[in-house]
Amino acid sequence: MSSLNTLAPRATPVHQSPLLLLVLTGFLLGATLPVARLAGNAGWSPIAFTFAAALGSGLILLLAGRRGRRPVSAAVVKYSLVAGVLSVSVPNSLAFFVMPQLGTTMTSLAYTLPPLFTYAFGWMIGMERYRAARLAGVLLGMSGVGLLILGRPLQQGSGGIALLLALGIPLSVAAGNVYRKRHLPDGYDSKTLAGGMLLAGAAALLPLLLAEGRMPAMGEAWLLVLLQCALTSLGYFVYFLFQKVADPVYFSQLGYVMSATGVLSGVALFGERLTPWMPVAVAVIALGVMLVNRRPPQG
């Protein structure tokens, strides 16, 4: 019996399976999109809601990860600040700025580009080697998300400056993906790293919040903030588990799953129309993920 047990294949734990973590992280963070939309309908501004959610979830994660742990080093503080700016505050701030000019659909399209830029950045600094199958998978994933938003009208008058600024969204996200993987501190748990990044992102958003000068009253849908904090803290905890077992390009496909989750939630919760392209788009995204995850032949 012992020999049979030794020969039997062992199931990969969830926290070590890149594919399962990709789906779980994308679903949890994608679920924050409809909550943010509900908050906007309830009177929250995007900056105020993002700040409150980042601050609350960052505190939850940092307090959960600090019990009985060694003190946070200066290297972790630096890591959190850079990761928070690149991965939280810069892309969110740019999205908030360009969305009135470009519309939600065109702005969402920017989040399909991080895998391509992540692959390019990783190749330039020697973290990635050229692999035709992987590049094809990245491009297929981008195509799939493009199909998801086909048929949704763009706002008129999209300016060239706004388009250039929107390009900064995937560039910043891609730079954050590479930075976090390359400089991941040793000896710190995922709760501490995720909490530090979110708190740093909230700190970077604070000047924009003060300039806006608008925080909702206590009665204005604060339950949505609590729900967003729960989704964000759990999502970013899994996010850092995912980062530890995935390379930057595979990790960057998170945007595809988030976009798909956002579109499906729009159909289910807000009555948005299901386009005929959606089943095709899901199949294309799945094929892209398979190609990126495909191991190169040995020898």
Side-chain angles (χ1 to χ4, degrees):
M1 290 296 292
S2 60
S3 60
L4 289 177
N5 290 336
T6 303
L7 294 175
R10 296 182 179 179
T12 303
V14 173
H15 69 280
Q16 294 178 5
S17 171
L19 182 58
L20 289 176
L21 290 173
L22 169 66
V23 174
L24 183 57
T25 310
F27 172 78
L28 287 169
L29 295 183
T32 65
L33 301 176
V35 178
R37 179 170 174 177
L38 290 171
N41 294 341
W44 283 81
S45 76
I47 293 177
F49 187 71
T50 302
F51 171 82
L55 178 64
S57 55
L59 288 173
I60 290 171
L61 286 167
L62 201 62
L63 290 174
R66 286 293 80 213
R67 291 180 298 177
R69 303 284 183 176
R70 60 177 174 150
V72 174
S73 67
V76 172
V77 173
K78 177 186 174 183
Y79 177 86
S80 298
L81 287 171
V82 177
V85 169
L86 289 175
S87 303
V88 180
S89 61
V90 169
N92 286 336
S93 300
L94 287 174
F96 299 155
F97 182 79
V98 303
M99 198 172 294
Q101 290 93 346
L102 300 182
T104 304
T105 299
M106 183 64 78
T107 305
S108 299
L109 186 59
Y111 287 94
T112 69
L113 297 174
L116 187 59
F117 289 128
T118 302
Y119 183 79
F121 290 162
W123 179 75
M124 285 189 292
I125 66 174
M127 291 180 67
E128 285 285 340
R129 290 183 295 177
Y130 172 75
R131 283 164 49 188
R134 168 156 282 197
L135 181 58
V138 169
L139 295 175
L140 271 177
M142 290 172 57
S143 301
V145 177
L147 289 174
L148 279 177
I149 61 176
L150 266 179
R152 301 173 69 180
L154 297 177
Q155 293 186 3
Q156 299 298 319
S158 299
I161 295 179
L163 286 171
L164 289 175
L165 289 174
L167 189 61
I169 296 173
L171 286 170
S172 182
V173 171
N177 290 339
V178 173
Y179 175 82
R180 289 193 318 274
K181 185 68 175 182
R182 192 176 183 88
H183 299 282
L184 187 67
D186 293 326
Y188 288 91
D189 62 290
S190 298
K191 298 185 190 74
T192 297
L193 297 175
M197 186 183 78
L198 286 165
L199 287 178
L205 284 171
L206 185 58
L208 293 175
L209 181 65
L210 294 176
E212 188 178 56
R214 175 170 166 251
M215 280 291 287
M218 287 298 293
E220 292 187 11
W222 277 85
L223 284 177
L224 291 174
V225 176
L226 296 179
L227 175 59
Q228 193 79 333
C229 286
L231 288 170
T232 303
S233 56
L234 183 56
Y236 274 98
F237 168 63
V238 183
Y239 179 98
F240 271 86
L241 291 177
F242 179 30
Q243 178 180 274
K244 289 182 178 180
V245 299
D247 62 72
V249 175
Y250 191 92
F251 182 90
S252 66
Q253 293 178 106
L254 182 63
Y256 299 154
V257 184
M258 288 179 62
S259 297
T261 302
V263 171
L264 292 174
S265 67
V267 172
L269 299 177
F270 302 106
E272 296 180 0
R273 293 174 58 187
L274 186 70
T275 71
W277 295 103
M278 189 169 291
V280 178
V282 172
V284 170
I285 291 172
L287 179 58
V289 171
M290 290 173 59
L291 285 174
V292 171
N293 194 37
R294 181 183 177 188
R295 295 183 180 276
Q298 301 296 322

